[in-house]
Amino acid sequence: MESFHELAARRQSDRAFDPERPVDRALIRRILETACLAPSACNAQPWRFVVVDDPELKNKVADATSSKVLGINHFTKQAPVHILVVEERVNLTSGLGGWVKNKSFAPIDIGIAVAHLCLAAEDEGLGSCILGWFDEAKMRSLLGIPSSKRVVLDVVIGYSTQPDRPKKRKRWDEVVSFNGYRSSDKIAR
């Protein structure tokens, strides 16, 4: 078993998948069980995952993610699985805490769950890419999601055909300071 650091370092946003290699539902289930283990404020678990693996429906969902004008997300048709993340209501204690602290905990909780999902996919030998750009109304219509619900993300998964690439990250001093906030400008002076 590799270390968590090695797993996190290996995971990347994949934009090329083997369209001829389906992902077994047992594997999808294991990945989503891992996502559901994610912590959430007051254990609210404000998410619902809608798995789309039917090829015809998957292609319609992929069309809702791409833009010919902007030339983005056309790779999503290659991915054999789309997992739509729908924001659900938080429980009373999380909602009350969010109101008191003027914070919306649901998006934070969903982010943690999606991170679990993507790392679990990587651990199972699958690539993933998190998409926030899509036609939300079209997604709701295609999948029967009530108009009162927010479709937050689409996570595509499949067997990646994209080569590993080095990660480009900000310098350590640009993102970390100890015992107080210090911008890298202040540290450099």
Side-chain angles (χ1 to χ4, degrees):
M1 182 176 170
E2 67 187 328
S3 75
F4 179 77
H5 179 82
E6 291 168 327
L7 176 67
R10 192 177 72 227
R11 194 263 160 203
Q12 64 184 12
S13 293
D14 290 302
R15 292 178 177 86
F17 299 94
D18 183 346
E20 302 301 317
R21 193 168 173 200
V23 178
D24 186 80
R25 280 199 175 174
L27 198 53
I28 296 168
R29 181 183 177 98
R30 192 164 48 241
I31 290 165
L32 288 171
E33 285 173 347
T34 302
C36 290
L37 291 173
S40 59
C42 302
N43 202 27
Q45 303 169 56
W47 52 69
R48 176 173 290 272
F49 300 103
V50 179
V51 179
V52 181
D53 61 357
D54 173 79
E56 188 176 319
L57 183 58
K58 188 259 322 169
N59 283 338
K60 291 177 183 175
V61 166
D63 286 341
T65 68
S66 60
S67 169
K68 290 179 184 172
V69 174
L70 299 175
I72 61 170
N73 294 342
H74 296 293
F75 70 92
T76 60
K77 275 207 175 177
Q78 298 172 355
V81 179
H82 286 247
I83 301 174
L84 282 292
V85 185
V86 179
E87 183 177 333
E88 294 292 326
R89 269 205 159 127
V90 296
N91 59 22
L92 181 62
T93 51
S94 180
L96 184 59
W99 180 77
V100 169
K101 289 297 183 183
N102 193 28
K103 287 184 183 180
S104 179
F105 291 114
I108 298 166
D109 297 339
I110 288 170
I112 297 167
V114 169
H116 275 56
L117 187 157
C118 291
L119 289 167
E122 182 67 35
D123 192 49
E124 296 287 354
L126 296 166
S128 63
C129 190
I130 304 166
L131 305 167
W133 179 277
F134 51 82
D135 184 332
E136 187 175 355
K138 194 173 197 179
M139 290 292 198
R140 280 198 298 266
S141 175
L142 285 168
L143 302 171
I145 299 168
S147 61
S148 62
K149 301 288 182 184
R150 185 83 205 266
V151 182
V152 181
L153 297 169
D154 177 8
V155 183
V156 294
I157 63 170
Y159 291 94
S160 177
T161 59
Q162 185 169 327
D164 292 344
R165 58 191 185 279
K167 292 189 183 272
K168 296 177 183 175
R169 297 294 183 258
K170 291 180 178 179
R171 291 186 333 266
W172 174 263
D173 66 335
E174 290 181 286
V175 296
V176 176
S177 60
F178 288 87
N179 303 314
Y181 183 89
R182 288 175 187 80
S183 71
S184 56
D185 293 340
K186 291 180 184 177
I187 294 171
R189 290 181 187 165

